[in-house]
């Protein structure tokens, strides 16, 4: 059996939690940045993961190392860029 | 000193909040879409960020502008595509 | 009119929910992985979405199919790689 006071508490709690759900969720947003460096390797800032890479000399052959760095595979590549993203708390 | 009623409220609140955590989190999911356009520039839909780009003519040299647009750098590029993602509330 | 007990409950609930917000949000993080395969197609693991693609033979022309697979467009492509991400609950 549940006392009246317990029911009241339960009800208030559920309503408050539900009303927070959407406002909480909208604060989790994707945030991205780009880095580039001369040569065959570019590194993401701390906390970011690489989602894609670009290379100089029109090269589209690359791989991502340790989740956070871009490596362009073409010989004598002149520059490498990393696209880097994370889920950030906004607002 | 904490009254009995306060303890009861605290306990109920913590339990309700904890039980909501996992259900809330699973609603925040990555959602992606692709866009493409003739020429050297492709734009993400509003609310999305570019995570990578593709170019015609086998070109792998590109950069992302204003977080949301792909620009292919090879001369006389015929098409550009943007891969675009965001964190969306699902369900 | 709100009773004293209702006010107390409301206050406790709001405080508890607010204190959980930041700890909940920091658990939603971006998680990524890479896959590669011989030929023109590479597929993301279940639950992941493709955020970018890489191709052999320096090719930078690709498209993403069904949100989860990379297809390299250059003729007789030797390998294709997919960069795959999702929002995961960490900790």
């Amino acid at each position: 059996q549940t006392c009246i006071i317990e029911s009241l508490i339960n009800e208030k709690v559920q309503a408050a939690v539900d009303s927070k759900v959407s406002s909480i969720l909208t604060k989790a947003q994707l945030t991205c940045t780009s880095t580039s460096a001369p040569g065959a390797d570019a590194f993401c800032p701390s906390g970011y993961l690489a989602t894609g890479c670009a290379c100089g000399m029109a090269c589209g052959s690359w791989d991502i190392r340790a989740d956070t760095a871009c490596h362009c595979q073409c010989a004598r590549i002149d520059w490498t860029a990393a696209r880097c993203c994370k889920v950030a708390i906004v607002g």
Side-chain angles (χ1 to χ4, degrees), chain A residues 1-30:
Chain A
Q1 195 197 328
T2 306
C3 301
I4 292 173
I5 185 65
E6 280 197 74
S7 298
L8 180 59
I9 292 172
N10 280 334
E11 185 188 305
K12 291 283 178 191
V13 167
Q14 294 302 328
V17 170
D18 287 343
S19 76
K20 285 279 180 177
V21 169
S22 63
S23 65
I24 290 173
L25 282 174
T26 57
K27 291 187 178 182
Q29 292 183 10
L30 195 66

Side-chain angles (χ1 to χ4, degrees), chain A residues 51-91:
Chain A
T51 60
C53 310
C55 309
M57 300 163 55
C59 175
S61 294
W62 48 261
D63 57 270
I64 290 172
R65 299 180 172 183
D67 255 357
T68 59
C70 282
H71 175 76
C72 288
Q73 299 178 0
C74 299
R76 292 174 298 280
I77 202 77
D78 51 354
W79 59 265
T80 296
R83 183 60 171 171
C84 309
C85 299
K86 66 175 179 178
V87 175
I89 302 169
V90 177

